[in-house]
Each structure stands twice: as structure tokens, then as C-alpha cells.
PDB file of all heavy atoms in Angstrom:
ATOM      1  N   THR J   1     -14.438 144.729 -12.894  1.00  0.00           N
ATOM      2  CA  THR J   1     -14.672 145.683 -13.967  1.00  0.00           C
ATOM      3  C   THR J   1     -14.078 145.141 -15.257  1.00  0.00           C
ATOM      4  O   THR J   1     -13.076 144.425 -15.243  1.00  0.00           O
ATOM      5  CB  THR J   1     -14.042 147.044 -13.645  1.00  0.00           C
ATOM      6  OG1 THR J   1     -12.621 146.890 -13.490  1.00  0.00           O
ATOM      7  CG2 THR J   1     -14.611 147.620 -12.358  1.00  0.00           C
ATOM      8  N   ILE J   2     -14.709 145.467 -16.391  1.00  0.00           N
ATOM      9  CA  ILE J   2     -14.203 145.015 -17.673  1.00  0.00           C
ATOM     10  C   ILE J   2     -12.954 145.795 -18.064  1.00  0.00           C
ATOM     11  O   ILE J   2     -12.140 145.323 -18.866  1.00  0.00           O
ATOM     12  CB  ILE J   2     -15.297 145.153 -18.760  1.00  0.00           C
ATOM     13  CG1 ILE J   2     -14.960 144.281 -19.973  1.00  0.00           C
ATOM     14  CG2 ILE J   2     -15.466 146.613 -19.164  1.00  0.00           C
ATOM     15  CD1 ILE J   2     -15.068 142.815 -19.695  1.00  0.00           C
ATOM     16  N   SER J   3     -12.806 146.969 -17.480  1.00  0.00           N
ATOM     17  CA  SER J   3     -11.620 147.770 -17.739  1.00  0.00           C
ATOM     18  C   SER J   3     -10.362 147.007 -17.340  1.00  0.00           C
ATOM     19  O   SER J   3     -10.273 146.455 -16.243  1.00  0.00           O
ATOM     20  CB  SER J   3     -11.694 149.090 -16.966  1.00  0.00           C
ATOM     21  OG  SER J   3     -10.508 149.846 -17.131  1.00  0.00           O
ATOM     22  N   GLY J   4      -9.390 146.965 -18.247  1.00  0.00           N
ATOM     23  CA  GLY J   4      -8.148 146.285 -17.961  1.00  0.00           C
ATOM     24  C   GLY J   4      -8.107 144.835 -18.403  1.00  0.00           C
ATOM     25  O   GLY J   4      -7.089 144.169 -18.205  1.00  0.00           O
ATOM     26  N   TYR J   5      -9.187 144.326 -19.006  1.00  0.00           N
ATOM     27  CA  TYR J   5      -9.235 142.941 -19.476  1.00  0.00           C
ATOM     28  C   TYR J   5      -9.262 142.855 -20.991  1.00  0.00           C
ATOM     29  O   TYR J   5      -9.999 143.596 -21.653  1.00  0.00           O
ATOM     30  CB  TYR J   5     -10.460 142.210 -18.918  1.00  0.00           C
ATOM     31  CG  TYR J   5     -10.354 141.876 -17.452  1.00  0.00           C
ATOM     32  CD1 TYR J   5     -10.927 142.703 -16.496  1.00  0.00           C
ATOM     33  CD2 TYR J   5      -9.686 140.734 -17.036  1.00  0.00           C
ATOM     34  CE1 TYR J   5     -10.824 142.400 -15.148  1.00  0.00           C
ATOM     35  CE2 TYR J   5      -9.586 140.426 -15.686  1.00  0.00           C
ATOM     36  CZ  TYR J   5     -10.158 141.262 -14.751  1.00  0.00           C
ATOM     37  OH  TYR J   5     -10.059 140.949 -13.412  1.00  0.00           O
ATOM     38  N   PHE J   6      -8.475 141.962 -21.531  1.00  0.00           N
ATOM     39  CA  PHE J   6      -8.494 141.634 -22.943  1.00  0.00           C
ATOM     40  C   PHE J   6      -9.745 140.793 -23.197  1.00  0.00           C
ATOM     41  O   PHE J   6      -9.956 139.777 -22.529  1.00  0.00           O
ATOM     42  CB  PHE J   6      -7.234 140.835 -23.304  1.00  0.00           C
ATOM     43  CG  PHE J   6      -6.965 140.686 -24.766  1.00  0.00           C
ATOM     44  CD1 PHE J   6      -5.895 141.345 -25.362  1.00  0.00           C
ATOM     45  CD2 PHE J   6      -7.761 139.873 -25.553  1.00  0.00           C
ATOM     46  CE1 PHE J   6      -5.635 141.192 -26.708  1.00  0.00           C
ATOM     47  CE2 PHE J   6      -7.506 139.718 -26.906  1.00  0.00           C
ATOM     48  CZ  PHE J   6      -6.434 140.388 -27.480  1.00  0.00           C
ATOM     49  N   VAL J   7     -10.578 141.204 -24.142  1.00  0.00           N
ATOM     50  CA  VAL J   7     -11.844 140.522 -24.398  1.00  0.00           C
ATOM     51  C   VAL J   7     -11.967 140.160 -25.870  1.00  0.00           C
ATOM     52  O   VAL J   7     -11.700 140.987 -26.744  1.00  0.00           O
ATOM     53  CB  VAL J   7     -13.044 141.388 -23.978  1.00  0.00           C
ATOM     54  CG1 VAL J   7     -14.356 140.708 -24.354  1.00  0.00           C
ATOM     55  CG2 VAL J   7     -13.002 141.665 -22.482  1.00  0.00           C
ATOM     56  N   GLY J   8     -12.379 138.937 -26.124  1.00  0.00           N
ATOM     57  CA  GLY J   8     -12.580 138.478 -27.488  1.00  0.00           C
ATOM     58  C   GLY J   8     -14.005 138.011 -27.716  1.00  0.00           C
ATOM     59  O   GLY J   8     -14.702 137.613 -26.777  1.00  0.00           O
ATOM     60  N   TRP J   9     -14.423 138.084 -28.965  1.00  0.00           N
ATOM     61  CA  TRP J   9     -15.712 137.534 -29.397  1.00  0.00           C
ATOM     62  C   TRP J   9     -15.459 136.340 -30.302  1.00  0.00           C
ATOM     63  O   TRP J   9     -14.629 136.418 -31.221  1.00  0.00           O
ATOM     64  CB  TRP J   9     -16.548 138.563 -30.156  1.00  0.00           C
ATOM     65  CG  TRP J   9     -17.251 139.570 -29.301  1.00  0.00           C
ATOM     66  CD1 TRP J   9     -16.839 140.823 -28.999  1.00  0.00           C
ATOM     67  CD2 TRP J   9     -18.522 139.407 -28.658  1.00  0.00           C
ATOM     68  NE1 TRP J   9     -17.764 141.465 -28.206  1.00  0.00           N
ATOM     69  CE2 TRP J   9     -18.805 140.616 -27.975  1.00  0.00           C
ATOM     70  CE3 TRP J   9     -19.445 138.358 -28.586  1.00  0.00           C
ATOM     71  CZ2 TRP J   9     -19.977 140.798 -27.239  1.00  0.00           C
ATOM     72  CZ3 TRP J   9     -20.604 138.545 -27.842  1.00  0.00           C
ATOM     73  CH2 TRP J   9     -20.856 139.746 -27.182  1.00  0.00           C
ATOM     74  N   PHE J  10     -16.161 135.251 -30.046  1.00  0.00           N
ATOM     75  CA  PHE J  10     -16.101 134.046 -30.854  1.00  0.00           C
ATOM     76  C   PHE J  10     -17.513 133.630 -31.211  1.00  0.00           C
ATOM     77  O   PHE J  10     -18.476 134.054 -30.566  1.00  0.00           O
ATOM     78  CB  PHE J  10     -15.400 132.907 -30.102  1.00  0.00           C
ATOM     79  CG  PHE J  10     -13.920 133.084 -29.942  1.00  0.00           C
ATOM     80  CD1 PHE J  10     -13.408 133.972 -29.010  1.00  0.00           C
ATOM     81  CD2 PHE J  10     -13.030 132.363 -30.723  1.00  0.00           C
ATOM     82  CE1 PHE J  10     -12.046 134.141 -28.858  1.00  0.00           C
ATOM     83  CE2 PHE J  10     -11.661 132.519 -30.582  1.00  0.00           C
ATOM     84  CZ  PHE J  10     -11.166 133.405 -29.655  1.00  0.00           C
ATOM     85  N   ARG J  11     -17.632 132.788 -32.223  1.00  0.00           N
ATOM     86  CA  ARG J  11     -18.941 132.266 -32.585  1.00  0.00           C
ATOM     87  C   ARG J  11     -18.817 130.793 -32.928  1.00  0.00           C
ATOM     88  O   ARG J  11     -17.763 130.319 -33.344  1.00  0.00           O
ATOM     89  CB  ARG J  11     -19.548 133.040 -33.759  1.00  0.00           C
ATOM     90  CG  ARG J  11     -18.771 132.948 -35.063  1.00  0.00           C
ATOM     91  CD  ARG J  11     -19.352 133.905 -36.087  1.00  0.00           C
ATOM     92  NE  ARG J  11     -18.677 133.831 -37.373  1.00  0.00           N
ATOM     93  CZ  ARG J  11     -18.915 134.651 -38.387  1.00  0.00           C
ATOM     94  NH1 ARG J  11     -19.821 135.617 -38.268  1.00  0.00           N
ATOM     95  NH2 ARG J  11     -18.242 134.503 -39.524  1.00  0.00           N
ATOM     96  N   GLN J  12     -19.905 130.073 -32.746  1.00  0.00           N
ATOM     97  CA  GLN J  12     -19.904 128.647 -33.012  1.00  0.00           C
ATOM     98  C   GLN J  12     -21.247 128.220 -33.584  1.00  0.00           C
ATOM     99  O   GLN J  12     -22.287 128.429 -32.969  1.00  0.00           O
ATOM    100  CB  GLN J  12     -19.601 127.857 -31.740  1.00  0.00           C
ATOM    101  CG  GLN J  12     -19.409 126.370 -31.961  1.00  0.00           C
ATOM    102  CD  GLN J  12     -18.803 125.678 -30.752  1.00  0.00           C
ATOM    103  OE1 GLN J  12     -18.945 126.141 -29.623  1.00  0.00           O
ATOM    104  NE2 GLN J  12     -18.119 124.573 -30.984  1.00  0.00           N
ATOM    105  N   ALA J  13     -21.194 127.633 -34.769  1.00  0.00           N
ATOM    106  CA  ALA J  13     -22.370 127.077 -35.410  1.00  0.00           C
ATOM    107  C   ALA J  13     -22.405 125.578 -35.140  1.00  0.00           C
ATOM    108  O   ALA J  13     -21.370 124.965 -34.868  1.00  0.00           O
ATOM    109  CB  ALA J  13     -22.333 127.349 -36.915  1.00  0.00           C
ATOM    110  N   PRO J  14     -23.581 124.954 -35.206  1.00  0.00           N
ATOM    111  CA  PRO J  14     -23.680 123.518 -34.947  1.00  0.00           C
ATOM    112  C   PRO J  14     -22.741 122.706 -35.830  1.00  0.00           C
ATOM    113  O   PRO J  14     -22.670 122.915 -37.037  1.00  0.00           O
ATOM    114  CB  PRO J  14     -25.143 123.211 -35.275  1.00  0.00           C
ATOM    115  CG  PRO J  14     -25.852 124.499 -34.992  1.00  0.00           C
ATOM    116  CD  PRO J  14     -24.896 125.561 -35.458  1.00  0.00           C
ATOM    117  N   GLY J  15     -21.998 121.793 -35.211  1.00  0.00           N
ATOM    118  CA  GLY J  15     -21.087 120.939 -35.950  1.00  0.00           C
ATOM    119  C   GLY J  15     -19.768 121.576 -36.323  1.00  0.00           C
ATOM    120  O   GLY J  15     -18.946 120.939 -36.984  1.00  0.00           O
ATOM    121  N   LYS J  16     -19.537 122.817 -35.912  1.00  0.00           N
ATOM    122  CA  LYS J  16     -18.305 123.510 -36.247  1.00  0.00           C
ATOM    123  C   LYS J  16     -17.562 123.925 -34.985  1.00  0.00           C
ATOM    124  O   LYS J  16     -18.144 124.025 -33.908  1.00  0.00           O
ATOM    125  CB  LYS J  16     -18.588 124.744 -37.105  1.00  0.00           C
ATOM    126  CG  LYS J  16     -19.197 124.439 -38.460  1.00  0.00           C
ATOM    127  CD  LYS J  16     -19.347 125.700 -39.286  1.00  0.00           C
ATOM    128  CE  LYS J  16     -19.907 125.401 -40.661  1.00  0.00           C
ATOM    129  NZ  LYS J  16     -20.045 126.639 -41.481  1.00  0.00           N
ATOM    130  N   GLU J  17     -16.272 124.169 -35.148  1.00  0.00           N
ATOM    131  CA  GLU J  17     -15.459 124.617 -34.034  1.00  0.00           C
ATOM    132  C   GLU J  17     -15.720 126.088 -33.758  1.00  0.00           C
ATOM    133  O   GLU J  17     -16.202 126.827 -34.615  1.00  0.00           O
ATOM    134  CB  GLU J  17     -13.977 124.397 -34.315  1.00  0.00           C
ATOM    135  CG  GLU J  17     -13.560 122.945 -34.377  1.00  0.00           C
ATOM    136  CD  GLU J  17     -12.054 122.781 -34.474  1.00  0.00           C
ATOM    137  OE1 GLU J  17     -11.377 123.747 -34.881  1.00  0.00           O
ATOM    138  OE2 GLU J  17     -11.559 121.701 -34.133  1.00  0.00           O
ATOM    139  N   ARG J  18     -15.384 126.492 -32.547  1.00  0.00           N
ATOM    140  CA  ARG J  18     -15.524 127.883 -32.176  1.00  0.00           C
ATOM    141  C   ARG J  18     -14.581 128.734 -33.028  1.00  0.00           C
ATOM    142  O   ARG J  18     -13.393 128.440 -33.145  1.00  0.00           O
ATOM    143  CB  ARG J  18     -15.228 128.052 -30.686  1.00  0.00           C
ATOM    144  CG  ARG J  18     -15.792 129.319 -30.078  1.00  0.00           C
ATOM    145  CD  ARG J  18     -15.953 129.169 -28.563  1.00  0.00           C
ATOM    146  NE  ARG J  18     -16.976 128.187 -28.225  1.00  0.00           N
ATOM    147  CZ  ARG J  18     -17.429 127.985 -26.993  1.00  0.00           C
ATOM    148  NH1 ARG J  18     -16.953 128.680 -25.978  1.00  0.00           N
ATOM    149  NH2 ARG J  18     -18.355 127.066 -26.779  1.00  0.00           N
ATOM    150  N   GLU J  19     -15.119 129.798 -33.603  1.00  0.00           N
ATOM    151  CA  GLU J  19     -14.404 130.626 -34.563  1.00  0.00           C
ATOM    152  C   GLU J  19     -14.178 132.032 -34.029  1.00  0.00           C
ATOM    153  O   GLU J  19     -15.095 132.669 -33.505  1.00  0.00           O
ATOM    154  CB  GLU J  19     -15.199 130.677 -35.871  1.00  0.00           C
ATOM    155  CG  GLU J  19     -14.647 131.607 -36.932  1.00  0.00           C
ATOM    156  CD  GLU J  19     -15.594 131.771 -38.100  1.00  0.00           C
ATOM    157  OE1 GLU J  19     -16.824 131.631 -37.900  1.00  0.00           O
ATOM    158  OE2 GLU J  19     -15.116 132.021 -39.223  1.00  0.00           O
ATOM    159  N   PHE J  20     -12.965 132.529 -34.203  1.00  0.00           N
ATOM    160  CA  PHE J  20     -12.636 133.881 -33.776  1.00  0.00           C
ATOM    161  C   PHE J  20     -13.385 134.910 -34.611  1.00  0.00           C
ATOM    162  O   PHE J  20     -13.501 134.778 -35.829  1.00  0.00           O
ATOM    163  CB  PHE J  20     -11.133 134.125 -33.894  1.00  0.00           C
ATOM    164  CG  PHE J  20     -10.738 135.558 -33.674  1.00  0.00           C
ATOM    165  CD1 PHE J  20     -10.751 136.106 -32.407  1.00  0.00           C
ATOM    166  CD2 PHE J  20     -10.352 136.348 -34.738  1.00  0.00           C
ATOM    167  CE1 PHE J  20     -10.388 137.430 -32.196  1.00  0.00           C
ATOM    168  CE2 PHE J  20      -9.983 137.669 -34.547  1.00  0.00           C
ATOM    169  CZ  PHE J  20     -10.008 138.208 -33.269  1.00  0.00           C
ATOM    170  N   VAL J  21     -13.881 135.951 -33.954  1.00  0.00           N
ATOM    171  CA  VAL J  21     -14.601 137.020 -34.634  1.00  0.00           C
ATOM    172  C   VAL J  21     -13.880 138.357 -34.472  1.00  0.00           C
ATOM    173  O   VAL J  21     -13.547 139.017 -35.457  1.00  0.00           O
ATOM    174  CB  VAL J  21     -16.044 137.156 -34.106  1.00  0.00           C
ATOM    175  CG1 VAL J  21     -16.751 138.339 -34.767  1.00  0.00           C
ATOM    176  CG2 VAL J  21     -16.817 135.868 -34.349  1.00  0.00           C
ATOM    177  N   ALA J  22     -13.651 138.771 -33.239  1.00  0.00           N
ATOM    178  CA  ALA J  22     -13.022 140.059 -32.965  1.00  0.00           C
ATOM    179  C   ALA J  22     -12.464 140.059 -31.557  1.00  0.00           C
ATOM    180  O   ALA J  22     -12.867 139.255 -30.712  1.00  0.00           O
ATOM    181  CB  ALA J  22     -14.026 141.204 -33.142  1.00  0.00           C
ATOM    182  N   ALA J  23     -11.543 140.970 -31.289  1.00  0.00           N
ATOM    183  CA  ALA J  23     -10.972 141.069 -29.951  1.00  0.00           C
ATOM    184  C   ALA J  23     -10.596 142.506 -29.643  1.00  0.00           C
ATOM    185  O   ALA J  23     -10.215 143.268 -30.539  1.00  0.00           O
ATOM    186  CB  ALA J  23      -9.748 140.170 -29.808  1.00  0.00           C
ATOM    187  N   SER J  24     -10.703 142.851 -28.379  1.00  0.00           N
ATOM    188  CA  SER J  24     -10.361 144.177 -27.891  1.00  0.00           C
ATOM    189  C   SER J  24      -9.264 144.060 -26.844  1.00  0.00           C
ATOM    190  O   SER J  24      -9.411 143.325 -25.872  1.00  0.00           O
ATOM    191  CB  SER J  24     -11.597 144.856 -27.288  1.00  0.00           C
ATOM    192  OG  SER J  24     -11.256 146.083 -26.663  1.00  0.00           O
ATOM    193  N   GLN J  25      -8.177 144.785 -27.042  1.00  0.00           N
ATOM    194  CA  GLN J  25      -7.115 144.804 -26.052  1.00  0.00           C
ATOM    195  C   GLN J  25      -7.608 145.449 -24.768  1.00  0.00           C
ATOM    196  O   GLN J  25      -8.618 146.166 -24.761  1.00  0.00           O
ATOM    197  CB  GLN J  25      -5.898 145.546 -26.596  1.00  0.00           C
ATOM    198  CG  GLN J  25      -5.259 144.878 -27.795  1.00  0.00           C
ATOM    199  CD  GLN J  25      -3.917 145.484 -28.135  1.00  0.00           C
ATOM    200  OE1 GLN J  25      -2.947 145.327 -27.384  1.00  0.00           O
ATOM    201  NE2 GLN J  25      -3.846 146.181 -29.262  1.00  0.00           N
ATOM    202  N   TRP J  26      -6.888 145.219 -23.694  1.00  0.00           N
ATOM    203  CA  TRP J  26      -7.356 145.691 -22.396  1.00  0.00           C
ATOM    204  C   TRP J  26      -7.549 147.197 -22.341  1.00  0.00           C
ATOM    205  O   TRP J  26      -8.398 147.688 -21.582  1.00  0.00           O
ATOM    206  CB  TRP J  26      -6.400 145.236 -21.282  1.00  0.00           C
ATOM    207  CG  TRP J  26      -5.041 145.884 -21.314  1.00  0.00           C
ATOM    208  CD1 TRP J  26      -3.909 145.399 -21.909  1.00  0.00           C
ATOM    209  CD2 TRP J  26      -4.672 147.119 -20.708  1.00  0.00           C
ATOM    210  NE1 TRP J  26      -2.864 146.266 -21.708  1.00  0.00           N
ATOM    211  CE2 TRP J  26      -3.306 147.330 -20.968  1.00  0.00           C
ATOM    212  CE3 TRP J  26      -5.364 148.074 -19.958  1.00  0.00           C
ATOM    213  CZ2 TRP J  26      -2.619 148.456 -20.516  1.00  0.00           C
ATOM    214  CZ3 TRP J  26      -4.683 149.199 -19.498  1.00  0.00           C
ATOM    215  CH2 TRP J  26      -3.322 149.377 -19.784  1.00  0.00           C
ATOM    216  N   ASN J  27      -6.794 147.943 -23.152  1.00  0.00           N
ATOM    217  CA  ASN J  27      -6.927 149.392 -23.173  1.00  0.00           C
ATOM    218  C   ASN J  27      -7.813 149.884 -24.315  1.00  0.00           C
ATOM    219  O   ASN J  27      -7.973 151.090 -24.497  1.00  0.00           O
ATOM    220  CB  ASN J  27      -5.559 150.060 -23.242  1.00  0.00           C
ATOM    221  CG  ASN J  27      -4.744 149.619 -24.440  1.00  0.00           C
ATOM    222  OD1 ASN J  27      -5.261 148.968 -25.351  1.00  0.00           O
ATOM    223  ND2 ASN J  27      -3.473 149.965 -24.459  1.00  0.00           N
ATOM    224  N   GLY J  28      -8.377 148.962 -25.092  1.00  0.00           N
ATOM    225  CA  GLY J  28      -9.265 149.313 -26.178  1.00  0.00           C
ATOM    226  C   GLY J  28      -8.588 149.712 -27.470  1.00  0.00           C
ATOM    227  O   GLY J  28      -9.270 149.988 -28.465  1.00  0.00           O
ATOM    228  N   ASN J  29      -7.286 149.723 -27.490  1.00  0.00           N
ATOM    229  CA  ASN J  29      -6.548 150.135 -28.674  1.00  0.00           C
ATOM    230  C   ASN J  29      -6.368 148.988 -29.665  1.00  0.00           C
ATOM    231  O   ASN J  29      -6.320 147.821 -29.283  1.00  0.00           O
ATOM    232  CB  ASN J  29      -5.175 150.676 -28.291  1.00  0.00           C
ATOM    233  CG  ASN J  29      -5.246 151.945 -27.472  1.00  0.00           C
ATOM    234  OD1 ASN J  29      -6.215 152.699 -27.554  1.00  0.00           O
ATOM    235  ND2 ASN J  29      -4.226 152.186 -26.661  1.00  0.00           N
ATOM    236  N   SER J  30      -6.262 149.348 -30.940  1.00  0.00           N
ATOM    237  CA  SER J  30      -5.936 148.412 -32.016  1.00  0.00           C
ATOM    238  C   SER J  30      -6.726 147.106 -31.944  1.00  0.00           C
ATOM    239  O   SER J  30      -6.159 146.038 -31.693  1.00  0.00           O
ATOM    240  CB  SER J  30      -4.436 148.106 -32.003  1.00  0.00           C
ATOM    241  OG  SER J  30      -3.672 149.281 -32.139  1.00  0.00           O
ATOM    242  N   PRO J  31      -8.030 147.157 -32.153  1.00  0.00           N
ATOM    243  CA  PRO J  31      -8.827 145.923 -32.130  1.00  0.00           C
ATOM    244  C   PRO J  31      -8.469 144.986 -33.275  1.00  0.00           C
ATOM    245  O   PRO J  31      -7.946 145.414 -34.312  1.00  0.00           O
ATOM    246  CB  PRO J  31     -10.263 146.433 -32.251  1.00  0.00           C
ATOM    247  CG  PRO J  31     -10.137 147.740 -32.972  1.00  0.00           C
ATOM    248  CD  PRO J  31      -8.867 148.342 -32.452  1.00  0.00           C
ATOM    249  N   TYR J  32      -8.776 143.710 -33.085  1.00  0.00           N
ATOM    250  CA  TYR J  32      -8.501 142.693 -34.087  1.00  0.00           C
ATOM    251  C   TYR J  32      -9.805 142.150 -34.657  1.00  0.00           C
ATOM    252  O   TYR J  32     -10.809 142.044 -33.947  1.00  0.00           O
ATOM    253  CB  TYR J  32      -7.717 141.534 -33.466  1.00  0.00           C
ATOM    254  CG  TYR J  32      -6.420 141.933 -32.801  1.00  0.00           C
ATOM    255  CD1 TYR J  32      -6.364 142.128 -31.425  1.00  0.00           C
ATOM    256  CD2 TYR J  32      -5.262 142.106 -33.546  1.00  0.00           C
ATOM    257  CE1 TYR J  32      -5.173 142.493 -30.808  1.00  0.00           C
ATOM    258  CE2 TYR J  32      -4.073 142.470 -32.933  1.00  0.00           C
ATOM    259  CZ  TYR J  32      -4.033 142.662 -31.570  1.00  0.00           C
ATOM    260  OH  TYR J  32      -2.856 143.022 -30.956  1.00  0.00           O
ATOM    261  N   TYR J  33      -9.776 141.766 -35.943  1.00  0.00           N
ATOM    262  CA  TYR J  33     -10.962 141.226 -36.593  1.00  0.00           C
ATOM    263  C   TYR J  33     -10.596 140.061 -37.494  1.00  0.00           C
ATOM    264  O   TYR J  33      -9.537 140.051 -38.129  1.00  0.00           O
ATOM    265  CB  TYR J  33     -11.659 142.283 -37.447  1.00  0.00           C
ATOM    266  CG  TYR J  33     -12.163 143.470 -36.674  1.00  0.00           C
ATOM    267  CD1 TYR J  33     -11.433 144.649 -36.611  1.00  0.00           C
ATOM    268  CD2 TYR J  33     -13.381 143.410 -35.999  1.00  0.00           C
ATOM    269  CE1 TYR J  33     -11.904 145.738 -35.891  1.00  0.00           C
ATOM    270  CE2 TYR J  33     -13.852 144.491 -35.283  1.00  0.00           C
ATOM    271  CZ  TYR J  33     -13.111 145.657 -35.229  1.00  0.00           C
ATOM    272  OH  TYR J  33     -13.575 146.731 -34.516  1.00  0.00           O
ATOM    273  N   ALA J  34     -11.489 139.091 -37.552  1.00  0.00           N
ATOM    274  CA  ALA J  34     -11.345 138.021 -38.526  1.00  0.00           C
ATOM    275  C   ALA J  34     -11.602 138.595 -39.911  1.00  0.00           C
ATOM    276  O   ALA J  34     -12.396 139.531 -40.071  1.00  0.00           O
ATOM    277  CB  ALA J  34     -12.327 136.896 -38.228  1.00  0.00           C
TER     278      ALA J  34
END
């Protein structure tokens, strides 16, 4: 189940490194954003 897992979103364009976009803590509180 996704419940209880810290999950992040990243993106990557050709020729570039993977870039942080957003993240959700395991309980869904206080999300993070680039």
C-alpha cells in the first residue's frame, strides 16, 4: 500500500539531471515543492 511511504516526484529532460519537483511525507502532511 502507498499508505505509510514517503513519495517524491522528479522530472528529467534530455541531457539534464533528474530534478526534484515535489514530495509527500508518509502521512501526507507538510508537502514539499521545488
Side-chain angles (χ1 to χ4, degrees):
T1 61
I2 199 69
S3 176
Y5 287 97
F6 193 110
V7 175
W9 282 97
F10 288 76
R11 63 188 182 187
Q12 187 167 26
K16 296 184 178 180
E17 292 188 339
R18 200 158 293 189
E19 175 189 28
F20 171 74
V21 176
S24 173
Q25 296 191 69
W26 68 266
N27 57 11
N29 295 334
S30 302
Y32 304 98
Y33 298 98

